[in-house]
Amino acid sequence: MPASLLLWLPASSAVLFTPASQMPTPASRLAVRAPAATMADKVFKLGELELGAGKANVAFKPLMDSSEAVVVRYKLPFGLNAESQAGRVVVTQDGAGGERVGDVLRFTTRWSLGLPQGGGLVSTAASFGGAIGWQLSLFDVAKARNFDEVVEALTSNTEDRTNQVTLIFERPTA
């Protein structure tokens, strides 16, 4: 039996990624869908993505021959019905945030302890002083060593660190 993940999600929102000129204007809409990519395109370019406590420029190569990127944001606590299938984390039940059965989880926000980042005097002094703190990053699920590492990244999004989790899925289009 494949490993699976089920988390509870009472509050959710989603955003469909389209070019900025075509983005819906209501602030309440949070689902994002990138234009479909083919292997000829070789990369999804989602641009600058708001992660809650920071931003990231997101671009990645598709795993499928024909697919689109879907970004889903959930308020915490959240839930996700997914399991490990052939080395990928695949959605097994449609979610309230917009993920669908068959979507492959590609990235999730992850919190980890680390030294301060940056080139300023304060961050350099803090690094030498051993100051560590929680840092936000995007975890590349395709590079996970095992399913437990994905679960650890997903569950690092706790209410004492953030109020939302950002998930990026790759959805087959053919």
Side-chain angles (χ1 to χ4, degrees):
M1 184 165 138
S4 61
L5 170 68
L6 172 62
L7 302 171
W8 174 245
L9 60 118
S12 67
S13 56
V15 186
L16 301 176
F17 250 137
T18 55
S21 62
Q22 299 173 11
M23 285 296 287
T25 53
S28 61
R29 186 172 177 117
L30 291 177
V32 181
R33 181 178 296 155
T38 63
M39 290 308 282
D41 297 327
K42 292 196 170 66
V43 69
F44 286 114
K45 293 181 181 178
L46 304 183
E48 190 170 85
L49 184 64
E50 177 62 46
L51 301 178
K55 296 180 181 182
N57 274 319
V58 180
F60 61 96
K61 293 182 180 182
L63 296 174
M64 302 173 203
D65 289 337
S66 180
S67 60
E68 63 184 357
V70 178
V71 177
V72 175
R73 292 186 183 101
Y74 280 116
K75 295 207 179 295
L76 297 180
F78 75 104
L80 176 65
N81 291 290
E83 66 183 27
S84 179
Q85 297 178 4
R88 296 179 179 176
V89 178
V90 180
V91 173
T92 58
Q93 183 177 341
D94 289 355
E99 69 271 24
R100 295 186 195 154
V101 171
D103 287 355
V104 175
L105 181 61
R106 294 299 309 276
F107 293 90
T108 180
T109 47
R110 173 179 65 178
W111 290 86
S112 57
L113 284 172
L115 293 172
Q117 302 294 311
L121 182 60
V122 173
S123 61
T124 301
S127 294
F128 281 112
I132 61 170
W134 289 106
Q135 297 180 1
L136 176 63
S137 64
L138 274 178
F139 178 73
D140 187 344
V141 175
K143 294 181 180 177
R145 294 179 299 250
N146 54 50
F147 188 67
D148 289 341
E149 192 175 9
V150 176
V151 173
E152 185 178 304
L154 287 165
T155 58
S156 73
N157 294 279
T158 61
E159 290 176 286
D160 62 324
R161 297 179 197 133
T162 187
N163 64 356
Q164 75 174 32
V165 61
T166 301
L167 307 169
I168 303 175
F169 295 92
E170 185 174 347
R171 177 173 295 155
T173 57

